Amino acid sequence: MSAASLLLDHLDLLMKPDRSLPVLDLACGTGRNGLVLAEQGIPVVFADKSTAALKVLERQLAKEGLPGRVWQVDLEQVGVNPLSGQSYSAILGFRYLHRPLFPPLRSAVKPGGLIIYETFTIGNQEFGRPYNPDFLLQPGELKSIFQDWEMIHHFEGTLKNPDRAVAQIVARKPAVAG
């Protein structure tokens, strides 16, 4: 499976020479999105709960000499901020929604850094899983979470191949707190 088109369409934003902080590939699964960045020489932290998926990724990173590391983490621990004290040049989130994680995500992106996020909206119930509203964004919800960031890209609607209802954003955190 290839990387998400949202990421590929905005890859140039991540190609800056400053590599002092890695990119976080959140709930990465098999790492299809972060691997695109690692292949471009961008250090990536691949975060997921699945030990099996991360072992496969770890072997691939080592075999290909790619800049990155795996981080086995349960991002949904009640009362725990797994991103506490961490900083990233960008965070990628695809097909994953855990609302309590949004404030820590906002904090973990460095000033001037990016969030690239796409996940399902409530309209996706028409097409299939997920059906649980806890895993589906409400209209305008994703954009409102990052409303004080520079909105580079925003889309909310239906996409094809496969049919799905999603919200997408690419946003830059303000360089200076205002």
Side-chain angles (χ1 to χ4, degrees):
M1 185 177 248
S2 62
S5 60
L6 177 65
L7 176 61
L8 298 175
D9 291 347
H10 294 90
L11 193 58
D12 61 314
L13 297 173
L14 298 164
M15 299 300 292
K16 296 179 183 167
D18 176 17
R19 304 269 198 272
S20 58
L21 292 174
V23 171
L24 175 63
D25 189 355
L26 187 69
C28 66
T30 60
R32 70 185 182 108
N33 293 302
L35 284 170
V36 168
L37 300 181
E39 288 166 356
Q40 299 297 318
I42 298 170
V44 178
V45 174
F46 295 89
D48 202 280
K49 187 176 180 178
S50 170
T51 303
L54 292 176
K55 282 183 181 181
V56 171
L57 267 170
E58 198 166 40
R59 284 192 299 269
Q60 185 172 358
L61 291 171
K63 179 182 174 187
E64 298 180 26
L66 298 175
R69 65 179 177 85
V70 300
W71 177 30
Q72 199 276 326
V73 59
D74 180 354
L75 297 165
E76 299 179 16
Q77 298 174 67
V78 177
V80 175
N81 174 1
L83 301 175
S84 181
Q86 297 187 42
S87 187
Y88 298 96
S89 61
I91 296 179
L92 312 177
F94 289 90
R95 298 179 178 202
Y96 176 72
L97 178 61
H98 181 62
R99 287 177 176 88
L101 202 54
F102 279 121
L105 289 175
R106 287 176 50 91
S107 294
V109 174
K110 76 172 189 169
L114 298 168
I115 184 90
I116 300 176
Y117 211 99
E118 174 183 303
T119 199
F120 301 107
T121 63
I122 196 77
N124 199 67
Q125 291 172 324
E126 171 184 340
F127 302 111
R129 297 180 48 208
Y131 297 106
N132 184 336
D134 291 344
F135 306 121
L136 299 167
L137 291 166
Q138 295 299 314
E141 184 178 0
L142 185 60
K143 186 176 182 182
S144 72
I145 292 166
F146 295 95
Q147 66 186 346
D148 56 335
W149 290 27
E150 174 194 352
M151 199 61 54
I152 297 166
H153 169 84
H154 173 259
F155 171 82
E156 193 166 314
T158 303
L159 297 174
K160 302 275 183 202
N161 299 322
D163 289 347
R164 62 205 185 278
V166 298
Q168 304 175 331
I169 61 162
V170 177
R172 185 179 313 280
K173 185 174 185 175
V176 181

